[in-house]
Amino acid sequence: MNIRALCLVLAAMSMAGCANYSGLDTQGKRLDANTLHTGQSLNGVTLSSAAWPSADWWKSLGDPQLDGLIQEALHNSPDMQVASARAHQAEAAAYAANAERMPTLDASAGVSRSRLARDQDPRGEGDAYSTVRNIGASFNYNFDLWGGQRAAWEAALGEARAAQVDQQAARLTLAANVAKAYSDLGQAHIVRDLANDDLKRTRQMLDLSKRRLDSGIDSQYQYQQTESLEASSQSQLIDAEKQLQSAKIALAVLLGKGPDRGNELARPTVLKPGAVAVPSVLPAELLGRRPDLIAARWRVEAAARNIDASKTRFYPNLNLSASAGAESLLGDAMFGPASRFFNIAPTISLPIFDGGRLRADLDARDADYDLAVAQYNKTLVQALGDIGTTLSQLRDTGRQIQAQQHAADIAQQSYDTGVQRYSSGIGNYLDVLSIEQQLLQAQRQLASLNAAQIDLSIQLMQALGGGYGANNVAATTPATRSE
């Protein structure tokens, strides 16, 4: 059969085939980032073409110990090991899909020695021996007439690239979590300091109350109130110590180490929040800067290739298998004409009726594509939402810190004045007690706001991609599939 005749046969079989995918199609449409408006949310925010974070963005927080801890976590964390193993799995799957496109060639050789039983021996003697030698090779190739195998390989390759980008997303998440845990550790130290200061103040008040009681100025009831306040301050200090130890252990876990690693850390310095600025090209270039967005796009492309591969199963398929070799009894010429054999078997197949299996498979691939598009759209919307929310909270937190600092300063002045008047015997006990509680609350609120500003600064770096793709954005950005 010549090539022309073969093509005619294939065309006739394709036209006559009953299995088809008419009526099946995808519904998902990717969002255009430029249609998601951000102008009002970014109003008043500094815009700069150089505002993308650097790959080592955490250095801007101003603590060399933090840099070392993040490097330690990236090297030792089980989270990174999990991400690396998943990327390895995806790469192996892509390698296997590519191997499926290649022909196979196998060789074999063997010798068998046998003795026949009496009922097996045509002579009826039962003492016949034989030795059979064989050597051969087999070849098989499935012609990828419609590109289905290539599409399957491209789909697996897309998943592998997505898994590689997931590694970078895991790296960014881990670095941000370590930075936040480090900030939490610093906050825990500050809270403990405030609890210590509060205990010192209550003990000072207890001493003054004792002297006033001995002088007949205060009653036993007022002295007992101060004793109760001092006991409460001790309890708060114990709780602060507990929270500090928990913060150390949480950071040690992120580092991939045992709980004792946290006790080896020096006290964090006061971190400096990064300047609030965003790129002027937002949101357009965000698509190539956030690893989770890039991974989501690769998965959309992989789902599209799986659809292409599934459609080719409806078409005729051509397979070629062949084998050749030699087989002979001991004593015969191993490679003589009588011992040689070969076989060539081209096969043409076409699905005609399969109970709807192929349509069900294609419908599932269409659903996978729609799901991948929906997840991409969700990731894009959430990414812009993260940036808008973080910027808004950073602005408001900055104003809150200014107001709270003023409140804490006033509370400190009022407390100093109240204690001075109380120690002189002219102040009111209840006024001093009230002012002391206001001072403690103001100081704790100020510390909490400062910690929140650090966390929001870290979140902004993470929301902007953490420096991913700054040097090689195009190489990791998938091609756009026409909708």
Side-chain angles (χ1 to χ4, degrees):
M1 182 182 295
N2 58 33
I3 298 298
R4 183 177 179 181
L6 176 61
C7 291
L8 291 174
V9 170
L10 292 177
M13 293 178 67
S14 179
M15 295 175 62
C18 297
N20 66 83
Y21 54 80
S22 61
L24 299 179
D25 201 0
T26 59
Q27 303 298 322
K29 301 294 182 183
R30 284 209 302 260
L31 286 174
D32 183 354
N34 292 319
T35 64
L36 302 176
H37 303 297
T38 60
Q40 293 182 359
S41 299
L42 301 183
N43 185 32
V45 179
T46 303
L47 299 179
S48 169
S49 59
W52 292 108
S54 62
D56 54 355
W57 52 266
W58 53 83
K59 290 185 177 180
S60 65
L61 297 175
D63 190 335
Q65 182 177 220
L66 175 60
D67 181 36
L69 292 176
I70 289 180
Q71 297 300 333
E72 181 179 346
L74 294 175
H75 181 71
N76 297 315
S77 173
D79 289 338
M80 293 306 302
Q81 296 169 11
V82 169
S84 178
R86 287 175 176 168
H88 190 181
Q89 284 181 325
E91 290 170 2
Y95 185 82
N98 191 39
E100 288 292 328
R101 305 167 57 211
M102 305 301 167
T104 60
L105 178 63
D106 299 312
S108 63
V111 176
S112 65
R113 177 71 170 170
S114 61
R115 179 183 186 279
L116 299 180
R118 177 177 296 178
D119 62 342
Q120 296 173 331
D121 187 353
R123 299 174 300 168
E125 298 178 359
D127 60 350
Y129 292 86
S130 68
T131 300
V132 179
R133 302 168 298 173
N134 65 80
I135 186 171
S138 61
F139 171 85
N140 186 77
Y141 182 60
N142 190 11
F143 289 88
D144 192 16
L145 298 178
W146 316 105
Q149 291 178 333
R150 180 178 179 83
W153 167 64
E154 289 175 344
L157 191 60
E159 290 288 352
R161 288 169 175 165
Q164 291 171 355
V165 179
D166 282 341
Q167 276 189 279
Q168 300 303 316
R171 176 186 176 90
L172 172 58
T173 299
L174 179 60
N177 288 341
V178 171
K180 291 176 184 177
Y182 191 72
S183 176
D184 291 343
L185 179 58
Q187 169 71 0
H189 277 284
I190 293 174
V191 170
R192 185 189 61 176
D193 291 344
L194 292 176
N196 266 322
D197 292 341
D198 180 58
L199 182 59
K200 291 177 183 178
R201 287 195 298 264
T202 55
R203 284 176 175 172
Q204 180 187 19
M205 291 177 59
L206 185 64
D207 181 62
L208 290 175
S209 182
K210 175 64 174 173
R211 284 186 285 170
R212 287 169 65 96
L213 176 64
D214 294 341
S215 301
I217 301 176
D218 285 348
S219 65
Q220 182 68 28
Y221 169 73
Q222 291 174 321
Y223 179 73
Q224 287 175 339
Q225 278 189 309
T226 311
E227 281 187 315
S228 175
L229 182 62
E230 191 262 350
S232 177
S233 296
Q234 285 184 331
S235 175
Q236 290 176 353
L237 178 59
I238 293 173
D239 183 69
E241 293 282 0
K242 179 179 67 176
Q243 297 301 323
L244 176 60
Q245 187 61 29
S246 296
K248 290 180 179 179
I249 294 175
L251 183 53
V253 170
L254 288 172
L255 299 178
K257 299 295 181 62
D260 291 348
R261 179 67 179 95
N263 295 324
E264 301 170 358
L265 301 176
R267 176 170 177 165
T269 59
V270 178
L271 299 180
K272 299 180 296 184
V276 180
V278 297
S280 56
V281 290
L282 193 71
E285 285 194 14
L286 184 65
L287 302 181
R289 298 280 183 165
R290 278 190 51 139
D292 55 347
L293 269 174
I294 295 175
R297 291 178 69 191
W298 273 121
R299 290 192 166 93
V300 171
E301 295 302 317
R305 299 286 82 77
N306 277 327
I307 290 175
D308 295 339
S310 184
K311 286 181 176 179
T312 62
R313 299 188 182 102
F314 289 82
Y315 304 143
N317 183 56
L318 175 62
N319 178 269
L320 175 64
S321 61
S323 60
E327 182 175 294
S328 68
L329 293 172
L330 184 63
D332 293 340
M334 181 64 180
F335 298 102
S339 300
R340 300 171 192 166
F341 69 88
F342 73 89
N343 176 63
I344 298 177
T347 303
I348 299 175
S349 61
L350 172 70
I352 296 177
F353 180 77
D354 65 348
R357 293 176 180 82
L358 290 177
R359 287 181 60 85
D361 178 72
L362 178 57
D363 198 27
R365 301 293 78 76
D366 287 343
D368 290 343
Y369 178 82
D370 292 342
L371 178 60
V373 169
Q375 289 175 334
Y376 167 79
N377 291 342
K378 179 181 178 180
T379 303
L380 174 59
V381 172
Q382 187 62 52
L384 293 175
D386 290 344
I387 295 173
T389 299
T390 305
L391 287 172
S392 175
Q393 291 180 351
L394 270 172
R395 287 195 300 263
D396 294 341
T397 301
R399 290 195 293 265
Q400 281 183 287
I401 288 175
Q402 292 179 354
Q404 192 62 40
Q405 182 66 62
H406 183 59
D409 292 341
I410 293 176
Q412 183 66 59
Q413 294 172 4
S414 298
Y415 174 76
D416 294 340
T417 302
V419 169
Q420 185 179 5
R421 288 171 56 83
Y422 184 65
S423 62
S424 301
I426 59 175
N428 184 286
Y429 169 77
L430 293 178
D431 288 344
V432 176
L433 186 63
S434 175
I435 294 173
E436 197 279 334
Q437 293 301 305
Q438 290 177 10
L439 175 60
L440 177 60
Q441 183 179 2
Q443 289 177 332
R444 286 180 174 173
Q445 183 66 19
L446 180 60
S448 177
L449 287 171
N450 284 325
Q453 188 179 45
I454 295 296
D455 284 350
L456 288 170
S457 180
I458 294 171
Q459 289 177 24
L460 181 59
M461 297 299 102
Q462 186 176 8
L464 291 174
Y468 176 76
N471 297 321
N472 194 15
V473 175
T476 57
T477 304
T480 302
R481 177 179 183 259
S482 57
E483 300 288 355

